[in-house]
Amino acid sequence: MPIRRLPPLLVNQIAAGEVIERPASVVKELVENSIDAGAQRIEIAIEQGGTELIRVADDGGGIPFDELPLAVTAHATSKIQAAEDLDAIATMGFRGEALASIASVSRMSIVSRPAGGESGGIIESEGDQVQPPQPIGAPVGTVVTVRNLFFNTPARRKFLRAEQTESTRVTDSVESLALAHPNIGFVLSIDGKLRLELPSQQPARERALAVLGDELAEELLELAADDRGICIWGLVGKPAIARGTAKHQRLYLNGRSIVDRSINHAIKEAYRGLIDPTRSPTIVLFITLDPAQVDVNVHPTKSEVRFRSGNVIHGVVLSAVRATLRKADLVPELELSAARSWSGSFATFPEQAPPEFGSGQSSSPAPATFVDYFRRLAPQQKGFVFQEVRQALAEEAPEVLATVNAAVEAKPAAEMLPMVRSVSDILQVHSSYIVTQDESGLVIIDQHALHERVMFEKLKARIASGNLESQQMLMPAVVPVDAAQVQLLEELRPLLARLGIEAAPIGPTAIGVHAFTSLLFERGVDPVDFMIEMLDKAQTRGVNHDSEAALHETLDMMACKAAIKAGDRLQPEELAELLKYRETVERASNCPHGRPTTLRLSLKELERQFGRS
Ligand code: ADP
Ligand code: MG
């Protein structure tokens, strides 16, 4: 085929392929235009997932009558003029392609009246057929209507998902924009039903809660940082509200929603050891910095950016999020379902039966595991189980219940209970859980999880000041392995040295451990078991060459092995010591795998449940 110029319609449709993927992207581009036009209020309506109709109406600056044809022309923009402007982009748009792209794949009309204008104008288009603008009566602002999206590009249309899915994406897109612009009012309706209504001039926190859900208010910590020219404001979710998807992790740079691997990494790092690594935190961060420090023109939808100094941003985000989490009380509160009115009978159980518990037939759980049981219950069932918990406590720990009751009775609202007052305030339940109190209520601790965290922090602190201390073995411990694992040993040598472990092959299928980590020795960890597990892990997962991550993983394993186990009977002094560590160790609220170490039942909740409030 000879080389030919592509016809303009095709050029625009190709451009549309990059920017306009689906109805949600049309909505994003149109709403961004309204934001750029200085709108105070933006109304969005879609029908049939946006394929039938998308309408975005604003009260912004409008488009002058004679500029209407230009607005739908490719590479026509009012936002930048020269290359230098690219270094200081303060608007959402600047490429001048959105309207032309949308027009090329739909039937579009724009009705607009500029702020000072006498009357309005309308311009209609269908693919590349653009009609000349006509005068029309209209209020100040702009209404863009997009019908039959992708009517002339069937391949694109086929690519769309179910109506419901497309609608959800539109909602998501509007929410994302609304989060970043709390001063602007937003209304979204889908198929004639009002879905979202956000007033203008909302304070940032209020807007964020309106979008994320007011019920999360208690779970979101406010972050504010200003470091090395980078300002960050945001809401940082406590570990308890981490999710299985990254949908609740939102990043904004200078008001624009972005995705950025390096910042995501910083966030993950800040939550390390607080949430399970497969989960993502709920977090919204608004980062503001000098536009000259960032290139937003690396991606057609501008969702990816390039930082001039990515390392600095990584560092600032990491320390800001970490500091916010560190300051907070991360102990999850047990919330029992709505308190019943106690004037009635006790027998108003919810319809749903509690889930099968263990293998036993008995419907009431063994008290030792009631914490686990609690965690597995749906929230609406917790009120029911609480009676079982209460009963278990009454049997196992009447003194705890009595202390709490007495405290509630006396009701010294201002005068909080002291922390653990003496060892008699600590009770070990079924050799696995520690029940005690703090100033706001009853505290239940998983002894293994807490000690694991304590051991982990100890190991980490020691390794920060050099290799771990090691102890020579009188006789080498012989570890039976396979030939491949003998080979692996060589690769693991630098890591082992840091951990204070000396090991060498003593034959084709055996390794001798000549020196072992002192701390593990003291805790009675068997060097043979330890080495087998470490080598097995390295073999199945491969040797991790990111040395920090590998070290972290191994310290994790060490902490787990060295920690007190569930089922270990502890002396009162040992219990007291463990609780003392809880006060000093960082991230004591969660074990190194991110599971909680501690649950709290507040006095307020107890009062509510016992019908005392
Ligand atoms: P860009 O936003 O990159 O400039 P668009 O194709 O999205 O490109 O829009 C082209 C031009 O049309 C904008 O630069 C702006 O001048 C004008 N425009 C588009 N939408 C609106 C609106 N809602 N209100 C006022 N002007 C608008
Ligand atoms: Mg635009």
Side-chain angles (χ1 to χ4, degrees):
M1 270 204 282
I3 300 177
R4 262 181 289 167
R5 271 186 180 281
L6 293 172
L9 176 67
L10 199 52
V11 171
N12 287 338
Q13 287 180 344
I14 291 170
E18 292 180 335
V19 188
I20 309 300
E21 219 185 351
R22 50 186 1 117
S25 18
V26 174
V27 170
K28 170 180 177 280
E29 292 295 336
L30 296 181
V31 172
E32 285 187 349
N33 280 345
S34 300
I35 293 170
D36 284 345
Q40 293 295 303
R41 182 181 157 89
I42 303 173
E43 289 186 22
I44 304 115
I46 64 163
E47 278 169 25
Q48 297 182 17
T51 52
E52 186 53 37
L53 171 93
I54 296 171
R55 175 178 290 135
V56 174
D58 68 50
D59 56 358
I63 306 171
F65 187 82
D66 48 351
E67 287 182 19
L68 281 171
L70 267 179
V72 294
T73 306
H75 313 301
T77 177
S78 57
K79 298 169 195 175
I80 58 171
Q81 289 182 350
E84 301 85 75
D85 295 345
L86 279 175
D87 283 339
I89 287 172
T91 49
M92 307 290 286
F94 59 86
R95 298 164 63 108
E97 33 180 37
L99 287 181
S101 297
I102 297 166
S104 73
V105 292
S106 70
R107 301 187 168 97
M108 184 172 91
S109 78
I110 304 177
V111 173
S112 192
R113 179 172 153 200
E118 306 257 280
S119 74
I122 178 169
I123 187 163
E124 290 179 293
S125 61
E126 179 173 328
D128 60 345
Q129 305 296 310
V130 184
Q131 306 301 320
Q134 304 292 326
I136 194 173
V140 170
T142 304
V143 182
V144 181
T145 308
V146 177
R147 287 183 191 279
N148 312 122
L149 185 65
F150 301 137
F151 79 100
N152 53 357
T153 49
R156 275 266 141 204
R157 199 175 175 114
K158 254 190 249 149
F159 205 66
L160 297 180
R161 300 295 190 77
E163 228 179 274
Q164 177 59 45
T165 315
E166 296 301 337
S167 299
T168 306
R169 294 194 192 204
V170 167
T171 309
D172 206 54
S173 191
V174 173
E175 285 181 346
S176 170
L177 288 156
L179 265 173
H181 299 277
N183 52 323
I184 302 177
F186 285 85
V187 177
L188 168 66
S189 44
I190 297 180
D191 296 320
K193 284 197 205 79
L194 186 66
R195 272 305 170 78
L196 193 69
E197 190 169 18
L198 300 164
S200 56
Q201 308 299 343
Q202 268 191 310
R205 186 184 163 84
E206 237 170 73
R207 170 61 58 92
L209 288 177
V211 172
L212 299 174
D214 282 323
E215 73 282 1
L216 293 182
E218 298 281 300
E219 302 294 326
L220 292 166
L221 310 163
E222 198 158 328
L223 175 156
D226 187 351
D227 188 6
R228 284 168 276 174
I230 301 162
C231 276
I232 311 179
W233 183 86
L235 294 175
V236 172
K238 293 185 186 174
I241 55 165
R243 305 285 193 96
T245 73
K247 227 190 92 184
H248 300 271
Q249 183 168 321
R250 301 192 195 241
L251 294 182
Y252 293 86
L253 178 78
N254 293 347
R256 176 179 279 125
S257 163
I258 58 158
V259 285
D260 187 82
R261 287 185 55 202
S262 149
I263 297 179
N264 284 348
H265 179 268
I267 292 172
K268 203 172 176 110
E269 198 59 26
Y271 276 90
R272 184 145 86 175
L274 288 176
I275 60 178
D276 185 288
T278 60
R279 297 174 74 77
S280 298
T282 297
I283 184 170
V284 187
L285 292 184
F286 298 95
I287 304 171
T288 316
L289 51 78
D290 177 359
Q293 290 300 309
V294 44
D295 186 357
V296 293
N297 193 24
V298 293
H299 191 269
T301 66
K302 313 171 201 91
S303 60
E304 280 168 36
V305 299
R306 194 180 295 132
F307 293 107
R308 304 241 189 281
S309 47
N311 283 344
V312 178
I313 306 216
H314 182 277
V316 172
V317 170
L318 173 60
S319 56
V321 176
R322 198 179 258 168
T324 307
L325 289 167
R326 190 175 296 159
K327 274 186 303 211
D329 174 8
L330 299 179
V331 174
E333 295 259 322
L334 287 177
E335 269 202 32
L336 312 176
S337 72
R340 254 176 291 285
S341 117
W342 291 104
S343 53
S345 92
F346 268 55
T348 41
F349 293 154
E351 281 129 27
Q352 256 174 302
E356 264 304 317
F357 188 78
S359 51
Q361 324 293 93
S362 149
S363 68
S364 82
T369 39
F370 64 67
V371 177
D372 268 329
Y373 185 65
F374 243 118
R375 280 188 216 155
R376 269 188 277 136
L377 285 176
Q380 73 275 10
Q381 294 176 324
K382 287 186 177 165
F384 170 42
V385 169
F386 182 73
Q387 290 175 46
E388 297 176 356
V389 172
R390 192 181 69 111
Q391 201 186 334
L393 269 183
E395 280 165 24
E396 298 273 336
E399 55 294 39
V400 173
L401 208 56
T403 320
V404 172
N405 281 342
V408 173
E409 197 83 78
K411 236 189 214 165
E415 186 190 314
M416 287 292 195
L417 280 177
M419 281 297 295
V420 181
R421 284 172 299 192
S422 71
V423 286
S424 64
D425 283 349
I426 312 169
L427 178 95
Q428 193 188 23
V429 181
H430 281 244
S431 306
S432 296
Y433 298 102
I434 304 171
V435 178
T436 184
Q437 60 181 337
D438 72 0
E439 45 307 297
S440 59
L442 186 152
V443 173
I444 306 165
I445 293 165
D446 177 331
Q447 65 186 35
H448 172 68
L450 175 59
H451 197 225
E452 206 177 357
R453 168 59 75 189
V454 169
M455 292 310 291
F456 181 78
E457 295 298 332
K458 256 194 192 169
L459 286 163
K460 231 177 60 178
R462 292 200 189 172
I463 212 157
S465 52
N467 292 349
L468 290 184
E469 207 179 295
S470 74
Q471 190 166 322
Q472 288 294 320
M473 314 274 288
L474 288 177
M475 296 249 285
V478 179
V479 188
V481 291
D482 60 35
Q485 289 179 323
V486 174
Q487 302 252 293
L488 265 184
L489 188 63
E490 208 40 57
E491 278 189 76
L492 290 173
R493 197 173 295 283
L495 177 61
L496 290 173
R498 290 187 73 183
L499 301 171
I501 299 174
E502 256 173 57
I506 48 169
T509 60
I511 286 170
V513 180
H514 300 275
F516 196 54
T517 326
S518 305
L519 200 80
L520 296 193
F521 246 137
E522 286 158 24
R523 294 286 318 154
V525 177
D526 179 3
V528 176
D529 286 352
F530 180 83
M531 289 303 291
I532 289 179
E533 187 169 332
M534 186 170 175
L535 289 165
D536 282 352
K537 275 214 175 111
Q539 200 169 22
T540 45
R541 280 204 247 137
V543 174
N544 192 337
H545 286 285
D546 174 352
S547 60
E548 278 314 299
L551 180 67
H552 195 277
E553 256 172 44
T554 319
L555 292 184
D556 232 45
M557 203 177 104
M558 287 185 151
C560 180
K561 290 206 166 303
I564 294 163
K565 304 283 176 296
D568 289 352
R569 182 94 222 151
L570 300 178
Q571 295 307 309
E573 296 68 32
E574 294 175 299
L575 290 171
E577 187 174 290
L578 188 51
L579 290 190
K580 212 172 68 212
Y581 278 130
R582 184 172 165 258
E583 306 299 303
T584 53
V585 140
E586 244 181 55
R587 294 157 188 257
S589 61
N590 296 72
C591 81
H593 310 102
R595 290 188 293 272
T597 62
T598 309
L599 300 173
R600 180 189 291 122
L601 198 50
S602 68
L603 291 181
K604 228 167 62 198
E605 185 66 14
L606 284 171
E607 272 182 52
R608 205 166 71 92
Q609 290 294 330
F610 285 119
R612 285 174 174 275
S613 51

